[in-house]
Amino acid sequence: LRSSSRGRARCTNASRRTCLVIRFGDIYAKERLYAETLLRTYITDVETVRRIIYIAAVESFHAAKMAYRQFKIRVRETLSLSHLGPESLEDAVLDYIVRHEDLHNVQATVNEVICSMNINPKISFPPKIDFIVISSLIRELCCVAFSMQTLVPPLDIAFGTDGELFSETKYHRSFDSDFTAALVAYHVWPALMENDVVIVKGEAVTKR
């Protein structure tokens, strides 16, 4: 009989969650601003630059979640052949992924993000710029998004659309916003969510 012992990943869940939330905030405060500065050497329009970075964040989370699902399926198939316990197979799979996150092919995920951005109709850029110039930001986002999928419950970003009603609980207004406007003109950074509850506010621009 298998015992009800918890896997190591579940035991370290709270500390890993704290580290990942902090890391997400650091990316917003550091890598995002560096990417913005870099892009502005090629693109003068601030809104376009911000849209590029926001879409990079959204696409990074999407690609990382897909990569995690595929990785988890492969691990489960392999471990199911020899797993005997004492923890459940799901806990064994989670433990393995947490211990071997370096096996995640980050570069392949980054390439997927850049390909998705190249066909995104919301952003345009001069031919001389390639989104590979912000690949370091994309890599950091892919890594943190992948790791967030190993949490119980996993963390994700909020879905945002241009023209949505501005939510004080979900976003901060950018300094250049119209603070009397009720609608979001565009997003600067996504909010971080846990079970549909905002745990870190994003940033948006409101205009009339």
Side-chain angles (χ1 to χ4, degrees), residues 21-208:
V21 171
I22 292 172
R23 191 173 168 195
F24 183 76
D26 286 343
I27 294 173
Y28 167 76
K30 298 173 184 176
E31 282 87 353
R32 177 188 66 89
L33 292 179
Y34 176 75
E36 185 174 309
T37 301
L38 190 60
L39 286 172
R40 291 193 67 177
T41 62
Y42 302 96
I43 304 168
T44 57
D45 183 58
V46 175
E47 179 177 334
T48 301
V49 168
R50 287 173 169 178
R51 283 184 180 274
I52 289 171
I53 292 173
Y54 176 76
I55 288 171
V58 171
E59 294 292 350
S60 293
F61 265 79
H62 176 73
K65 287 189 292 182
M66 292 297 294
Y68 176 80
R69 292 188 193 108
Q70 294 165 2
F71 189 50
K72 188 175 182 180
I73 289 170
R74 294 196 298 272
V75 172
R76 185 187 291 111
E77 288 175 349
T78 302
L79 294 186
S80 64
L81 300 175
S82 58
H83 179 69
L84 296 173
E87 75 278 16
S88 68
L89 175 60
E90 284 303 306
D91 278 352
V93 168
L94 191 58
D95 286 352
Y96 182 92
I97 295 173
V98 169
R99 289 198 309 270
H100 299 92
E101 282 190 51
D102 57 311
L103 297 179
H104 166 220
N105 189 344
V106 185
Q107 188 56 50
T109 309
V110 171
N111 293 341
E112 286 184 24
V113 172
I114 292 174
C115 286
S116 297
M117 293 177 69
N118 282 331
I119 60 174
N120 192 300
K122 288 188 177 181
I123 47 179
S124 60
F125 54 95
K128 62 182 179 180
I129 179 84
D130 188 324
F131 291 132
I132 199 170
V133 299
I134 57 168
S135 58
S136 60
L137 169 68
I138 295 171
R139 175 177 286 272
E140 284 296 311
L141 285 164
C142 287
C143 287
V144 78
F146 185 92
S147 296
M148 284 177 173
Q149 305 315 300
T150 69
L151 299 174
V152 183
L155 301 183
D156 200 358
I157 54 173
F159 177 75
T161 57
D162 293 351
E164 69 177 323
L165 189 65
F166 178 78
S167 170
E168 294 282 358
T169 61
K170 193 179 289 186
Y171 300 108
H172 296 291
R173 279 186 170 90
S174 289
F175 69 92
D176 53 347
S177 293
D178 179 342
F179 280 71
T180 63
L183 301 180
V184 172
Y186 62 91
H187 298 80
V188 176
W189 194 250
L192 190 63
M193 312 283 286
E194 182 180 64
N195 281 341
D196 296 324
V197 176
V198 177
I199 57 174
V200 178
K201 284 186 179 183
E203 183 178 342
V205 176
T206 55
K207 290 181 180 179
R208 289 189 178 277

